[in-house]
Amino acid sequence: MLDAVVNRPNRVLERQKAIQSSHLPIYYRLPRSRLYLGTYFTMWTLGMVGTTYGIYSLAFGKPAPKE
Amino acid sequence: MTNINNINRSDFQYFPFHLVTPSPWPILLSFSLLTMAIGAVMYMHGYSNGGELLSTGFILTSFGMGLWFRDVIIEGTYLGDHTRQVQKGLQLGILLFIVSEVFAFLSVFWAFFHSSLSPAIEIGGVWPPQGITPLDPFAIPLLNTILLVSSGAFVTYGHHALIHGDRRGAILGMFLTILFAVIFTILQYYEYSEAAFTMSDSVYGSSFYASTGLHGLHVIVGTIFISVAFIRLINYHLTDTHHQGCEAAILYWHFVDVVWLFLFIAVYYWGGM
């Protein structure tokens, strides 16, 4: 099992060529970047809506009564 | 004619520094931390949906850190931005980070010794407090000590193998380090679930879980750190002369190791007698 890991093909050179010839921003240069960043931006936007709601609740809302 | 779109940095850059390109991560992660902080305040004060916002903030922060570190790996491995001079800066950054961690643990140890060296009358004037049954230091804690010290030895073996160009040895060393770290975390979880006291059982419970819990959190982060180095090693990202991220992970792991030795001697052995 260890042999398969030790002797796996080295793809660094071809990756270096692909990434160095790309003119996209760094965070879009690897494969599947759009998927990862799209997911992140969507979640981040939801988080911002939640944060705005949270700040409003803290300023004007009421916490649960203490038992 | 020179194609301006295919610039080779070393053809015209006469300094060894890395001028970073614009990145969205600082601002996005700052707001993710804000989400986490607001969520934590809401959760702790009993506002509705506080837990959900806290979880969202945590996921956003860790996911964002992953994407940011991914960019750093691209810059180091594929773009050649991490020159010797840049590596020195990164090394200094890691050292300063570990110094700040030392002080974080110092404050937890301070709290422990403050409470244990002159036990208050409310806990019976003794340490461990009356009614507390401490854990046997020579059961799971001793086994955990052996596991962590061995993992420290394996990581050093892996590091030396990497420096000497022995790919097989480096992979084996790193793998065994991760394996022992995972076993440590499982045993620590088992010990927590079997302990006769909780975090709310006097200052003993509070200081015990605060110190060992903070350490446990560092073990988990260190395991992720070493796992990233391991995956990069398998993918030929690391060479015998250029493996700054791996060295940072190793340094962090040794730090976690040393903190455990202090914890074992002070909290488990001396504090449990």
Side-chain angles (χ1 to χ4, degrees), chain B residues 35-240:
Chain B
T35 305
M36 197 156 77
I38 297 284
V41 172
M42 287 173 73
Y43 178 67
M44 288 175 203
H45 286 277
Y47 283 83
S48 57
N49 301 318
E52 287 81 357
L53 196 62
L54 176 61
S55 312
T56 309
F58 178 75
I59 293 167
L60 279 175
T61 307
S62 27
F63 191 10
M65 280 171 71
L67 290 171
W68 192 345
F69 286 133
R70 183 170 165 263
D71 286 1
V72 178
I73 289 172
I74 295 172
E75 288 163 349
T77 305
Y78 299 130
L79 298 178
D81 287 325
H82 292 178
T83 58
R84 286 267 164 95
Q85 195 69 29
V86 173
Q87 285 184 58
K88 273 186 189 172
L90 292 170
Q91 203 168 27
L92 203 60
I94 280 290
L95 278 174
L96 284 171
F97 169 66
I98 286 176
V99 168
S100 76
E101 292 273 62
V102 167
F103 283 96
F105 274 99
L106 192 75
S107 65
V108 180
F109 274 102
W110 193 303
F112 170 74
F113 283 118
H114 174 88
S115 306
S116 60
L117 284 174
S118 58
I121 195 71
E122 289 86 349
I123 56 170
V126 286
W127 193 270
Q130 276 185 349
I132 290 280
T133 314
L135 296 159
D136 178 10
F138 296 109
I140 291 180
L142 182 64
L143 177 60
N144 269 345
T145 307
I146 295 166
L147 281 172
L148 265 197
V149 172
S150 309
S151 76
F154 284 133
V155 88
T156 305
Y157 168 73
H159 187 204
H160 279 262
L162 178 63
I163 289 170
H164 291 102
D166 174 11
R167 182 171 158 80
R168 178 182 289 272
I171 288 175
L172 195 64
M174 300 295 272
F175 174 75
L176 289 172
T177 308
I178 296 164
L179 182 70
F180 276 39
V182 171
I183 297 171
F184 174 92
T185 307
I186 293 169
L187 284 177
Q188 200 71 347
Y189 172 78
Y190 175 74
E191 190 190 57
Y192 276 10
S193 54
E194 292 289 311
F197 54 90
T198 68
M199 197 169 192
S200 50
D201 284 326
S202 82
V203 70
Y204 183 88
S206 311
S207 58
F208 177 87
Y209 285 107
S211 53
T212 58
L214 187 68
H215 177 267
L217 209 65
H218 280 74
V219 169
I220 294 169
V221 171
T223 311
I224 297 169
F225 206 167
I226 293 199
S227 300
V228 170
F230 178 65
I231 293 166
R232 294 187 67 199
L233 176 68
I234 288 175
N235 288 316
Y236 297 89
H237 287 200
L238 313 179
T239 69
D240 52 349

Side-chain angles (χ1 to χ4, degrees), chain A residues 22-67:
Chain A
S22 165
H23 303 295
L24 292 166
I26 289 170
Y27 38 93
Y28 279 127
R29 288 195 199 178
L30 279 184
R32 292 186 294 280
S33 290
R34 295 213 170 265
L35 173 69
Y36 297 149
L37 269 88
T39 312
Y40 188 78
F41 289 147
T42 311
M43 278 182 70
W44 188 85
T45 310
L46 280 173
M48 283 309 102
V49 173
T51 307
T52 313
Y53 157 79
I55 292 171
Y56 180 83
S57 301
L58 287 174
F60 303 108
K62 280 184 185 156
K66 283 186 179 153
E67 287 164 16

